[in-house]
Amino acid sequence: MAVYVHWPFCEKKCPYCDFNSHAANSIDEARWLAAILRELETYAAETARQPVASVFFGGGTPSLMQARSVGAVLDRVAALWPISETCEITLEANPSSVEAGRFAAYRAAGVNRISLGIQSLHDDALKALGRIHDAAEARTALDIAARTFDRMSFDLIYARPGQTLDAWRTELIEALSLARGHLSLYQLTIEPETAFFALQRRGRLRLPEAELAAEFYTLTQELCEAAGLPAYEVSNHAAPGEESRHNLAYWRYGDYVGAGPGAHGRYCGAAERKIATAALKSPLAWAKKVEALGHGREERVELGAQEEAEEAVLMGLRISEGVDLRRLEARTGFRPAASTLAMLESEALIASGDGRISTTAAGRLVLNAVVETVASSLEPADQASHLPTT
């Protein structure tokens, strides 16, 4: 099982960000910590002490937390669940909140993997993205992280307004020289209810056209592959063994609990089917509900078998290993229609073999359409005409 802890506070809200994050001048850290610890206790009672293989502090900006608060969360997790000897413990950090002593304290508290929100290695791009750090701070943070933690990842955003392929090539080559086994590389997308969305609607922000965006993506894959960091998920690249175990728990449709405002969970516990949870997004409303009831959920529902199958397809087709159809059928009783898979394979959008399906390079360029097609074809396995599994 995986445990996600959401810290919703930031120094500044980025104009492209649609995560549940909130700029805050002051934080009652003791109150938020107490609420997280209490909500973890509620989830522990519902998950039958399943072993924990990863803990992820996301946000927001978790590196605004005191190291003692991080340590208190990890101590509570260890008291509530058995912990894998190889448990991956990741904390997201922004370069502006990095200093050597702070990172050393996180390491002492139990964090063994850091994920840095670099976003760009150029000052003009960082300013356009609304970031509060500059490129020099980013490189310093990367150096401190590499010296402090055995495992490290950082994020970059590409296909930005006005960015050229040559400029991205140069930036990515430098990023690959700084990487320590893992990179998350995201094409800029405009999400509703963000500042960038408002700018785009007023015609003041234009992204690359679809054909150029596809060239950005292809170049990214080629350079990362050549550097020994192939894509194991649409936007994530890693050397063998350096994949994010926490995110793989999501993409493989494993069990996970989410504590904190806006956090989601999927777990079985004592139930036959997965329980889907979603917490209140408002930090204050969430905290008040936890203090009153022990949790801040606004939703807790048991999924149906077909819903589980649809979610497993949605997540599994994002990763290079794809979806194990035998496992899907055993778990849910559903599988995609053979005719649909044959059609997608004839169009070179998916590949099949050894009982699995996965997206091809061409399929990942139109991933949403492929996922929708496969998910909409799901049918009870006892009614399906199966493809060969070898």
Side-chain angles (χ1 to χ4, degrees):
M1 191 183 71
V3 174
Y4 176 79
V5 177
H6 190 71
W7 187 258
F9 303 112
C10 289
E11 294 182 55
K12 177 187 176 185
K13 181 79 171 180
C14 294
Y16 56 84
C17 178
D18 70 336
F19 294 165
N20 187 39
S21 57
H22 306 265
N25 294 322
S26 62
I27 302 169
D28 184 352
E29 187 162 335
R31 183 183 187 187
W32 302 114
L33 173 61
I36 287 170
L37 298 180
R38 187 169 182 195
E39 191 166 52
L40 287 171
E41 292 174 353
T42 295
Y43 283 118
E46 298 179 3
T47 50
R49 290 187 57 81
Q50 298 176 61
V52 169
S54 71
V55 181
F56 194 102
F57 292 86
T61 306
S63 54
L64 295 176
M65 297 174 69
Q66 297 296 316
R68 62 177 177 271
S69 296
V70 173
V73 171
L74 295 176
D75 287 345
R76 186 63 55 90
V77 170
L80 295 171
W81 290 280
I83 304 297
S84 164
E85 292 183 3
T86 58
C87 186
E88 175 188 272
I89 301 172
T90 303
L91 183 135
E92 290 184 334
N94 278 344
S96 56
S97 60
V98 169
E99 58 181 72
R102 195 175 186 88
F103 267 26
Y106 288 138
R107 177 66 186 263
V111 175
N112 56 30
R113 183 177 181 272
I114 204 79
S115 179
L116 285 164
I118 300 296
Q119 313 313 356
S120 177
L121 295 169
H122 297 306
D123 286 337
D124 57 345
L126 290 169
K127 184 176 180 180
L129 291 169
R131 305 295 287 169
I132 60 176
H133 67 273
D134 59 26
E137 286 179 295
R139 292 182 178 90
T140 297
L142 288 169
D143 179 63
I144 294 171
R147 287 186 282 110
T148 307
F149 298 96
D150 295 331
R151 301 180 67 213
M152 177 186 81
S153 178
F154 62 94
D155 300 353
L156 293 179
I157 294 174
Y158 67 98
R160 307 183 297 258
Q163 188 180 33
T164 65
L165 285 170
D166 284 343
W168 173 234
R169 181 191 300 274
T170 300
E171 186 174 5
L172 181 53
I173 288 173
E174 181 184 0
L176 288 165
S177 74
L178 297 170
R180 296 294 184 273
H182 193 286
L183 276 177
S184 296
L185 305 170
Y186 301 102
Q187 283 204 26
L188 180 61
T189 56
I190 306 302
E191 304 293 345
E193 300 182 14
T194 65
F196 272 6
F197 181 76
L199 287 175
Q200 186 183 55
R201 293 195 65 173
R202 294 200 298 269
R204 295 176 55 191
L205 185 72
R206 293 187 64 184
L207 298 188
E209 298 294 335
E211 185 175 338
L212 179 56
E215 291 182 42
F216 271 105
Y217 180 79
T218 299
L219 174 62
T220 300
Q221 309 316 303
E222 291 173 351
L223 291 176
C224 290
E225 184 86 30
L229 273 70
Y232 69 99
E233 190 267 346
V234 173
S235 301
N236 287 272
H237 304 256
E242 290 299 319
E243 299 86 355
S244 167
R245 299 171 202 162
H246 186 87
N247 287 337
L248 280 174
Y250 299 154
W251 296 322
R252 289 171 173 166
Y253 205 51
D255 280 11
Y256 58 95
V257 299
H264 288 248
R266 294 289 187 278
Y267 58 89
C268 292
E272 179 184 356
R273 305 250 63 89
K274 281 190 186 287
I275 302 296
T277 64
L280 293 164
K281 288 186 175 181
S282 163
L284 184 57
W286 169 82
K288 288 181 176 178
K289 190 167 185 179
V290 173
E291 289 162 353
L293 301 176
H295 67 81
R297 293 187 295 240
E298 65 175 350
E299 181 179 277
R300 183 186 186 278
V301 297
E302 184 174 308
L303 298 177
Q306 186 168 351
E307 290 175 302
E308 281 195 36
E310 290 171 351
E311 290 191 345
V313 165
L314 170 68
M315 303 304 283
L317 287 179
R318 296 186 62 87
I319 49 179
S320 58
E321 67 188 47
V323 177
D324 185 330
L325 296 181
R326 291 166 295 197
R327 179 171 178 262
L328 180 72
E329 181 179 335
R331 170 69 194 161
T332 69
F334 283 81
R335 60 183 293 132
S339 58
T340 298
L341 298 184
M343 179 269 291
L344 291 171
E345 194 159 16
S346 72
E347 296 177 359
L349 298 177
I350 67 166
S352 65
D354 194 28
R356 308 184 73 91
I357 57 169
S358 59
T359 51
T360 62
R364 286 188 287 277
L365 287 171
V366 288
L367 179 65
N368 289 344
V370 173
V371 167
E372 183 178 349
T373 301
V374 174
S376 64
S377 80
L378 288 165
E379 57 189 5
D382 57 5
Q383 299 176 19
S385 54
H386 295 186
L387 284 178
T389 56
T390 59

